[in-house]
Amino acid sequence: MKKTLAYLGERALLTLISVVLLFPIAWMFLTAFKQPRDAYSLSLNFEPTLQNFVTVFSDPWNLGSMVMNSVIVATVTVLIAVPCAALAAYSFSRFRVKGRKFLFFLILSTQFIPAVVIVLPFFLMFRQLDMLDTRLALIIVNLAIVTPFVIWMIKGFIDAIPTDSEEAAMIDGASRLRVIKDIVMPMAAPGIMTSSIFCFILTWNEFLFALILSRRDAVTLPVGLVSFRTERGDLWELMSAAGVMITVPIFIMALFIQKHFTRGMTAGAVK
Amino acid sequence: MAEVRLVDIEKKYGNFLAVPKQSLTIHDGEFLVLLGPSGCGKTTTMRMIAGLEDITSGDIMIKGERINDKPPKDRDIAMVFQNYGLYPHMTVRQNIEYPLKLRGMDKASRKDRVMETAEKVELDALLERRPSELSGGQRQRVALARAIVRTPSIFLMDEPLSNLDAKLRVTMRAELKHLHHELGVTTVYVTHDQMEAMTLASRVAVMREGRIVQLDTPKKIYAEPADLFVAGFIGSPSMNLIDGAVKGGVFRTDGVEVPVDLGDRDGVVLGIRPEELEITQDTDAAIGGKLYALELTGESTLVTLRNGPTSVCARGHADFEADIDSPCHLVPKDGARFHLFDRASGERLR
């Protein structure tokens, strides 16, 4: 009896947490398919429409260019940050050089600085370089934000890889770079995948720098959402449709590479 | 000719001296075992030969060439690791093939060589499996196959059998011995298991605190241990080491009186192997005490008797039976060898 009550209590608590967490997302998905007149209604009885998705991609909202900006900024950031971070993480993990710990702390400490403190210096710098409202500026800023985080994440994964396989490869005839390419990276692949997703999500959702550094040409999706707050009020149905556009790619990506999270690649390397 | 010479090599980690200055020559085709307890510097010595550790001073010569600054890949060595060190994302075939691929061998030759090697270590049926799908013994064989596939000049083996169960260890030991006989490659083998050392080695280097304390054939090390440490380390069960004094040509202590060829002296340790003692009914026998333990090992029974602080073990017949605490007497067999050591320095006296 006591066991059943504990079980029911546990289920009730989990359900409550799930409802609290999922309600906003469910509300956003539903609202994206509602007519403007139903946007504030909590009723599930409404006439669904795809018009909101058509509207957000047409004038004056032009969500298409924002999607393109977000895709380019996030993809290029990941493509540059992850390989660089992987090499840096390998060095921090394997080479015992003087000042290694301090340097690692220094890199991590960049994450302790609130973004709002450095956004103005970035703005001034890019204005000086005539790079405001460019994707390149956003990529540079995002690289500065995510690279330390990705180094820290990948280092954790590389630390967990036994060095025996690497040493075996070196004796087998591989150079250090070849060892990294043939042995370390495949073994760290699940970790690198995970880090890449985090890196993509961080960049994809980045708001503050994109808001300050872009005006018209380089506006990304999170900033684009703000434009649905108009003099006519908040256009929730359009904002939700745009919100779905932001959420779905991340959701699909996470589902697609979920298998990498669950299985490590080091099984069988050592005893 | 793949002779390995370590000339005055030394290894320090900061202020910690891991391997003090010493020299060692490993002859061409020899199976040299570095034997010692954990932390004695045997693996460090091997890793220096492999190029996985820098040496602080001294020279390493392979085939007469100084190779101190050569990376591991250019030393023409192969190494088998204690934890196998396999490539988990590759199949058995790819694992064995990898060293050949790195050396630019063409695909067809690689395929033939992999098959030939896999057959040698009985892995030919498992070539498409990944290491995670293999047993410990099979994984160790993959590591061996990867080492022998490119016929290096020197094999380095770092406790390759220590992760296997006792039965498999005996089987693999025989396989290693046969492989060395077949290939004749100079082999350096690290172990803390004296049985492995005795059965495999052409010569054994017994190490303690980074130093080689005795370097000789297994037979000689067993028969004439250089000091107390070697005497206690080699042999299973280990040699009886009895504290006492020599007076008038007789070694004496509680329950032990053995005539020896040594002048009067205190602080002497008498060493005698259990297999060189036999149980007797003679109450005036050289060694007497109360029966402390009987351990049946299968082919024999280990009989331990005690007299005061003195404890002596003998290997008796498998069917020997007696009550614990009953009086028991031992006598050295004909031709039994007594070893005498200085208690303070541990040095061999006779």
Side-chain angles (χ1 to χ4, degrees), chain A residues 165 167 169 172 182 269-271, chain B residues 47 86-87 89 98 103 163:
Chain A
S165 304
E167 291 180 343
D172 279 347
D182 288 356
V270 295
K271 187 194 177 251
Chain B
R47 288 173 63 84
L86 301 180
Y87 312 133
H89 54 292
Y98 189 65
R103 278 165 172 76
N163 285 330

Side-chain angles (χ1 to χ4, degrees), chain A residues 1-257:
Chain A
M1 183 65 183
K2 212 172 170 183
K3 221 173 170 182
T4 316
L5 273 177
Y7 176 79
L8 287 174
E10 184 187 293
R11 292 287 133 167
L13 187 69
L14 287 174
T15 310
L16 183 72
I17 293 171
S18 303
V19 167
V20 170
L21 286 177
L22 293 175
F23 177 76
I25 299 167
W27 187 87
M28 179 187 76
F29 270 90
L30 287 174
T31 310
F33 296 95
K34 284 179 179 176
Q35 316 259 3
R37 63 171 185 271
D38 298 323
Y40 287 94
S41 160
L42 283 176
S43 165
L44 292 175
N45 188 17
F46 62 87
E47 197 182 320
T49 175
L50 289 172
Q51 186 54 45
N52 296 330
F53 292 94
V54 178
T55 309
V56 293
F57 280 100
S58 38
D59 264 347
W61 314 111
N62 294 323
L63 206 66
S65 66
M66 296 176 204
V67 171
M68 188 55 80
N69 286 337
S70 281
V71 168
I72 290 172
V73 169
T75 308
V76 175
T77 302
V78 170
L79 288 178
I80 297 172
V82 172
C84 292
L87 289 174
Y90 179 82
S91 306
F92 277 117
S93 177
R94 295 294 193 248
F95 300 128
R96 301 281 172 266
V97 290
K98 259 190 179 170
R100 179 178 62 103
K101 282 184 179 169
F102 174 72
L103 197 61
F104 189 60
F105 173 77
L106 206 67
I107 287 176
L108 267 190
S109 66
T110 58
Q111 301 289 289
F112 307 153
I113 305 166
V116 74
V117 176
I118 51 170
V119 71
L120 188 63
F122 268 119
F123 176 80
L124 295 173
M125 189 170 74
F126 287 123
R127 192 178 64 181
Q128 196 71 27
L129 296 169
D130 200 22
M131 283 172 66
L132 283 178
D133 202 24
T134 61
R135 289 169 188 157
L136 183 60
L138 291 182
I139 290 167
I140 292 170
V141 169
N142 278 303
L143 280 172
I145 297 167
V146 299
T147 307
F149 179 69
V150 181
I151 291 173
W152 175 73
M153 264 190 99
I154 297 179
K155 181 182 175 289
F157 287 106
I158 292 178
D159 282 346
I161 297 175
T163 52
D164 279 9
S165 304
E166 280 176 68
E167 291 180 343
M170 278 194 250
I171 287 175
D172 279 347
S175 63
R176 178 71 75 169
L177 275 176
R178 188 82 193 249
V179 168
I180 294 173
K181 176 182 154 278
D182 288 356
I183 311 297
V184 181
M185 290 307 147
M187 284 170 84
I192 292 172
M193 276 291 187
T194 310
S195 309
S196 304
I197 293 168
F198 274 99
C199 180
F200 192 89
I201 292 171
L202 279 176
T203 313
W204 185 261
N205 289 335
E206 199 289 313
F207 176 74
L208 182 66
F209 286 99
L211 179 72
I212 305 293
L213 301 178
S214 64
R215 206 168 299 151
R216 200 185 62 233
D217 296 340
V219 172
T220 56
L221 274 171
V223 177
L225 281 182
V226 182
S227 58
F228 296 108
R229 305 198 72 177
T230 66
E231 293 131 6
R232 292 189 286 139
D234 296 339
L235 307 176
W236 287 110
E237 69 288 355
L238 298 183
M239 208 184 281
S240 297
V244 169
M245 296 307 301
I246 294 177
T247 314
V248 166
I250 301 285
F251 189 72
I252 292 172
M253 192 190 293
L255 276 182
F256 181 66
I257 50 182

Side-chain angles (χ1 to χ4, degrees), chain B residues 304-315:
Chain B
T304 306
L305 63 84
R306 276 201 175 169
N307 191 329
T310 308
S311 176
V312 183
C313 177
R315 195 185 282 279

Side-chain angles (χ1 to χ4, degrees), chain B residues 19 38 55 114 122 137 153 169 242 265 271 288:
Chain B
V19 178
S38 299
I55 55 173
V114 168
E122 295 172 28
S153 299
R169 206 178 304 164
I242 308 160
R265 192 178 175 128

Side-chain angles (χ1 to χ4, degrees), chain B residues 103-134:
Chain B
R103 278 165 172 76
M105 187 184 272
D106 66 272
K107 210 172 176 180
S109 310
R110 280 199 322 246
K111 199 178 170 191
D112 292 346
R113 186 79 77 84
V114 168
M115 190 46 85
E116 190 185 310
T117 310
E119 277 169 7
K120 206 173 272 177
V121 292
E122 295 172 28
L123 278 172
D124 42 324
L126 306 171
L127 284 173
E128 302 314 320
R129 292 205 194 166
R130 284 185 193 275
S132 58
E133 297 165 330
L134 303 177

